[in-house]
Every structure is written in C-alpha cells, then in structure tokens.
C-alpha cells in the first residue's frame, strides 16, 4: 500500500500537478494571446501586471492607429524614415512576443517530465513562436520593401534640389500640375518615345483634377526659351528624316543632345525639356513629372491580378491575329498593354482615350487588399517601371489629395486637344492655352459664365508665353470611360 502511494506521488510530480503538460500548454497559449496570463496563474502578480499593461498599451495604440488615426497612417506610409522605424519596431515587437511565450511556458512547465513530454512541450511552444514570428516578420519585411521602393523611385528634396516646406508643401499655389508620361521603349525603336502625355492639374485644397491630354503627333510647337528655342526658333522640327518633329520625340532628343539642356544630367534632360515644352504649349506651369514605362506597367497589372474593363469594340491583340472582344473583361498585363497601345483600325486619339480609361480603372481597383496580397511584386514592378522628380517630402500631401479623389469628394474631368477641337498638324496654340486656362480656373461645382481669365493664385504661365485671353464660353469637359 505504501509503495503504491509513493508511485502515485512521483507520478503527480512528473506530470507537474493537476493538469500537467496540457495545462501548461493551454496557459502558455493564453499568455501568447494575452500577455501575463501565465504569470498570474503561477502567482507572479507584479510581472503579470507589467506584461498585461504593456500588452494593453500596444493593443490600444494599434487599435487607435487603424481607426481614429487611419488617415494619418496613409501619410506615414509614404515617409521612408517612418517606414524604417516601423520595420525596426515590428522586429523588436516580434522578438519580445516570442520571449514572452517562451518565458510563460518556462514558469508553467512541470518540474519533471518524461523525454517524450519534454519534446512535445518544446515542439508546441516552437509552433506558437512560429505563429507569432510569421506575421511580425511579414509586416516588417513589407515596411522595408515599401521604404526601398520609395527611396528608389522618389529622391529627397535635398538630393533633387526641390525643397519642400512641410508646413506649406505646395508653396501657397492653388494647383499642382504633374506631367504624366507613358514611355514606349519598345525593342524596335531607339530610346524612349513618350506616346502618352497628360498634365494632371490638381486643386491643392479640394483635390479636383483636370486631365489635359496632348497628342503624340502634335507638330510645330514652340520650344522653351534658351538653347532649345535658339536651335528651333520656328518650332521643333526633329532630328533627321526618321524623326519628323512630333511632340513624342522631345524626350529622346534632349537625352541625345545635352547642349539643349545644359547642366542637366543624363536621364533627366528628357523630362526637363519636355516639361518646359508642355508648359509652353498649355500656358501652365508644370511642377513635376511621372514617367511610366508601358512595358513595365504590364508587370504591375499582372501583380494586381489583372484589371477589369468594359471593352466597347473589338481591338486587335498581339501579332497572331487575336482580338480583345467587346464586353466586361479582366485583362492581364500583356492584354492591357495592347488595349492601351493598339492603333489598328482606330487612331492615336482613340488610343489616348483608352489609355486614360485604363489608368482610371487601375487607380480604382488598386484597393488595400489587392496591394497587400501582392505587395512585393507590385513594389518590384514599380521600381522597374516608374521614374519621377516628385520629392519624397511631398508624398504625404499628394496622398491626402489622392484620398479625396478615392473617397469620391473630388471631381476628375478631362480635356483632349485632338481633332476636331485641335488639329495636330496645324495647332492653334492660342486656343490651346485659352482652353487650358478655362479648364483649370473654373470651379466644377459652380456653373458660371463669367470671364475666366487667370485669377490670382492660378498657375503662372511659363516665361515666353502669353497669358490666355478671357473667354465667356464654358469649356466642355467630360469623362468618356464606359
């Protein structure tokens, strides 16, 4: 009888008392979910209270960030320094969480366990640590990838010479004008041809946006004052018989002729000259540019899982006689590229319209879930695809404006300078400047027939261009995407 009671006592010691290993693992799991549970269960009240207080502080901070301060997160997410700190903080939090799990098991583990039970306990704790480590590591990695993409695409203001006052990022200007370029660096051509050129003029208070699109085949346009105008005093005439002097040739011409943009480094000469040229054509200041390589753009669409569009008419696709049929379609990157580039059976002007519809569809469908699930691929594609002179410090302010567009509060209108409004072979540049001025100076929320002119605070015309004349006829702007 005595020996039997002794064996039962030793068995209880090996199992760690009531519950044994199962109880220890259950409380360890509870402590992994809510810090401090294990310490309270073993009478370590001070340590348990400290862990619980730290856990609640982190939880409340996280909950407040995704609810009350959710809009601020978007602004922080485009600041490389903040992303670096977030990445480091997530790594530290993951390590701390793993240590809490391990320590919780150690204070709960029965004093004596059989070899099999010890192995089971260690394996169970390892699984818990892995479950904690994976989301922390993924989040830290995503923050690092985002920072890397931002610093690769956007230079700081000190590096680019474009200082940004964080208190007044737009320097008191009523509008910011960004030149959106679609570059077509195809294998069968030398250099980059900017076949898509649109100025997005954005109201810095409301986010209302006007898209002013210029055709690739615009001719006889004036060059900006300086070496470029000295070389082409009567308008751009190109560089030889293969380059007849179209607007989409200016970018590559500047890259091949450094003397027309003196003092500007390679790969920056094209954007600078094209910005100044477009500014002169429209009579508007052009602040920044974004160049999208159309072939790399297909990678972004593939990373998003495709883009949904309504195709209104059959579009020839590929070199094998395929066709994009009418109807609602989800296009992959290659198909979307053909949708935006095809001119077979249509024209440059129809293609311009399709490109704008494609850009709009991508912007609308790039929701947080899509971006998060394919973040690495999208970031890698963006690094290969995008180039810009927008400084990093301006990104929070631009994200705020884009949020107004996303939320539906801001209006987007478009105006294409194409026939019959403007004939690209013999353009009326006074008319172009007048129409551009009307488009950006009128409030889309008010119907007015008062002379528009160029009111105080509107974008200034660049040097060497005439201010557009007042006009009492409203400009018709519309969105034609199905």
């Amino acid at each position: 009888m005595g020996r039997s009671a002794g064996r039962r006592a030793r068995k209880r010691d090996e199992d760690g008392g009531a519950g044994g290993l199962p109880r220890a693992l259950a409380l360890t799991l509870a402590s992994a979910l809510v810090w401090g549970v294990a310490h309270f269960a073993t009478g370590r009240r001070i340590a348990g209270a400290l862990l619980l207080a730290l856990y609640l502080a982190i939880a409340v901070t996280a909950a407040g960030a995704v609810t009350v301060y959710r809009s601020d997160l978007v602004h922080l997410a485009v600041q490389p320094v903040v992303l670096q700190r977030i990445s480091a903080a997530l790594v530290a939090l993951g390590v701390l969480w793993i240590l809490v799990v391990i320590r919780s098991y150690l204070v709960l583990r029965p004093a004596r366990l059989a070899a099999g039970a010890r192995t089971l306990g260690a394996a169970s704790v390892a699984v818990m640590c892995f479950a904690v480590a994976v989301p922390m590591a993924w989040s830290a990695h995503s923050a690092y990838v985002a920072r890397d993409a931002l610093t690769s695409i956007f230079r700081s203001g000190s590096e680019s010479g474009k200082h940004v006052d964080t208190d007044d990022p737009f320097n008191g200007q009523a509008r910011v004008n960004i030149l959106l370029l679609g570059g077509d660096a195809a294998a069968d051509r030398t250099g980059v041809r900017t076949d898509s050129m649109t100025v997005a003029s954005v109201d810095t208070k409301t986010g209302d946006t006007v898209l002013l699109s210029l055709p690739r085949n615009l001719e006889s346009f004036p060059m900006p004052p300086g070496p470029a105008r000295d070389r082409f005093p009567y308008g751009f005439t190109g560089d030889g018989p293969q380059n007849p002097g179209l607007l989409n040739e200016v970018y590559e011409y500047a890259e091949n002729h450094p003397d027309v943009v003196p003092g500007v480094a390679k790969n920056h000469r094209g954007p600078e000259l094209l910005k100044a040229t477009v500014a002169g054509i429209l009579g508007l200041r052009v602040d920044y540019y974004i160049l999208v390589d159309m072939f790399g753009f297909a990678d972004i669409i593939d990373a998003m899982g495709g883009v949904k569009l309504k195709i209104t008419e059959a579009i020839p696709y590929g070199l094998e006689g395929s066709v994009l049929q009418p109807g609602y379609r989800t296009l992959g990157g290659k198909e979307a590229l053909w949708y935006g580039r095809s001119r077979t059976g249509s024209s440059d002007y129809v293609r311009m319209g399709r490109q704008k519809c494609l850009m709009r569809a991508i912007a609308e469908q790039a929701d947080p879930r899509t971006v998060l699930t394919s973040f690495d691929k999208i970031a890698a594609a963006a690094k290969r695809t995008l180039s810009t002179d927008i400084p990093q410090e301006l990104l929070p302010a631009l994200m705020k404006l884009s949020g107004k567009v996303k939320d539906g509060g801001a209006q987007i209108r478009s105006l294409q300078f194409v026939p019959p409004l403007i004939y690209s072979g013999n353009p009326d540049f006074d008319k172009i400047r007048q129409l551009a001025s009307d488009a950006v100076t009128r409030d889309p929320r008010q119907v007015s027939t008062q002379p528009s002119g160029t009111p105080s605070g509107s974008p200034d015309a660049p040097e060497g261009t005439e201010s557009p004349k007042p006009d009492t006829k409203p400009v018709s702007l519309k969105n034609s995407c199905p």
Side-chain angles (χ1 to χ4, degrees):
M1 180 73 70
R3 283 196 294 269
S4 177
R7 284 195 296 271
R8 288 195 295 271
R10 285 194 298 274
K11 179 66 174 173
R12 284 195 301 270
D13 289 340
E14 291 175 355
D15 289 344
L21 182 61
R23 174 179 179 273
L25 292 176
L27 288 174
T28 300
L29 177 60
S31 194
L33 298 175
V34 180
W35 297 358
V37 171
H39 292 74
F40 280 118
T42 55
R44 295 170 170 82
R45 298 184 180 279
I46 295 178
L50 291 175
L51 285 173
L52 181 59
L54 179 58
Y55 175 83
L56 291 176
I58 295 173
V60 169
T61 300
V66 299
T67 54
V68 180
Y69 300 104
R70 184 174 182 177
S71 60
D72 293 329
L73 287 180
V74 177
H75 304 157
L76 295 176
V78 292
Q79 299 182 47
V81 173
V82 173
L83 288 172
Q84 184 176 10
R85 293 173 182 173
I86 290 175
S87 183
L90 288 169
V91 171
L93 177 59
V95 171
L96 176 60
W97 206 321
I98 289 172
L99 291 177
V100 168
V101 173
I102 294 173
R103 181 58 184 167
S104 297
Y105 177 67
L106 291 178
V107 301
L108 288 164
R109 184 181 58 181
R112 288 178 293 178
L113 288 172
R118 285 199 302 271
T119 301
L120 177 62
S124 300
V125 172
V127 170
M128 295 182 204
C129 291
F130 182 77
V132 167
V134 168
M136 291 292 103
W138 180 85
S139 300
H141 171 72
S142 296
Y144 174 81
V145 169
R147 177 190 175 278
D148 179 61
L150 284 173
T151 54
S152 297
I153 299 170
F154 302 92
R155 294 190 299 167
S156 68
S158 58
E159 292 176 328
S160 62
K162 297 178 181 294
H163 175 71
V164 175
D165 183 352
T166 54
D167 294 328
D168 184 15
F170 300 113
N171 297 320
Q173 296 170 356
R175 306 189 75 88
V176 59
N177 301 320
I178 303 174
L179 177 59
L180 309 177
L181 303 171
D184 194 353
D188 59 349
R189 60 173 55 174
T190 302
V192 176
R193 294 289 182 89
T194 53
D195 283 347
S196 175
M197 290 163 283
T198 298
V199 171
S201 182
V202 187
D203 188 299
T204 57
K205 291 189 176 2
T206 66
D208 290 335
T209 301
V210 179
L211 302 176
L212 304 170
S213 299
L214 292 168
R216 61 182 282 280
N217 59 344
L218 195 71
E219 299 180 47
S220 305
F221 47 88
M223 299 301 286
R229 182 171 292 182
D230 293 341
R231 180 165 300 180
F232 301 104
Y234 305 109
F236 187 64
T237 55
D239 188 21
Q242 299 300 319
N243 301 284
L246 307 182
L247 185 58
N248 71 336
E249 300 168 16
V250 171
Y251 185 106
E252 188 60 22
Y253 184 89
E255 290 296 333
N256 294 332
H257 298 81
D259 51 316
V260 299
V261 196
V264 180
K266 183 176 176 58
N267 296 325
H268 298 284
R269 295 191 286 263
E272 286 302 315
L273 184 58
L274 187 54
K275 282 169 55 181
T277 302
V278 170
I281 292 170
L282 295 177
L284 301 174
R285 183 191 65 253
V286 176
D287 302 297
Y288 307 103
Y289 83 94
I290 300 175
L291 172 64
V292 180
D293 172 37
M294 296 305 291
F295 283 88
F297 199 57
D299 294 336
I300 295 179
I301 294 173
D302 282 333
M304 289 174 52
V307 59
K308 296 179 181 178
L309 282 169
K310 181 181 179 182
I311 300 176
T312 57
E313 58 184 1
I315 299 172
Y317 158 51
L319 302 176
E320 300 176 355
S322 300
V323 175
L324 297 175
Q325 296 294 345
Y328 287 97
R329 299 280 184 268
T330 298
L331 305 182
K334 186 177 179 181
E335 294 172 323
L337 185 61
W338 276 94
Y339 172 84
R341 295 180 67 239
S342 177
R343 289 197 303 267
T344 304
S346 59
S347 66
D348 275 333
Y349 313 122
V350 173
R351 183 172 75 159
M352 287 171 61
R354 289 201 305 265
Q355 288 172 352
K356 284 196 297 182
C357 292
L358 178 61
M359 298 288 282
R360 181 188 295 271
I362 292 170
E364 291 174 349
Q365 294 171 38
D367 57 87
R369 180 181 177 183
T370 299
V371 172
L372 288 174
T373 54
S374 305
F375 190 76
D376 281 18
K377 293 181 180 178
I378 293 175
K383 287 170 60 177
R384 297 191 302 268
T385 302
L386 302 176
S387 59
T388 182
D389 62 349
I390 295 175
Q392 295 173 6
E393 295 82 355
L394 191 64
L395 292 177
L398 290 177
M399 290 298 293
K400 183 178 180 180
L401 290 179
S402 69
K404 293 179 180 180
V405 175
K406 272 278 192 181
D407 295 339
Q411 297 188 24
I412 301 178
R413 300 170 295 148
S414 62
L415 177 60
Q416 299 185 46
F417 296 103
V418 299
L421 183 66
I422 298 293
Y423 290 95
S424 59
N426 184 27
D428 182 342
F429 292 105
D430 288 335
K431 183 177 180 181
I432 289 176
R433 292 168 192 148
Q434 182 175 328
L435 291 173
S437 177
D438 286 338
V440 301
T441 56
R442 284 183 175 154
D443 186 348
R445 291 167 174 75
Q446 298 177 357
V447 177
S448 174
T449 56
Q450 295 179 353
S452 60
T454 306
S456 175
S458 65
D460 300 324
E463 181 184 353
T465 64
E466 297 180 359
S467 299
K469 300 175 183 178
D471 180 27
T472 58
K473 184 178 180 181
V475 177
S476 176
L477 302 175
K478 61 181 180 179
N479 296 316
S480 57
C481 297

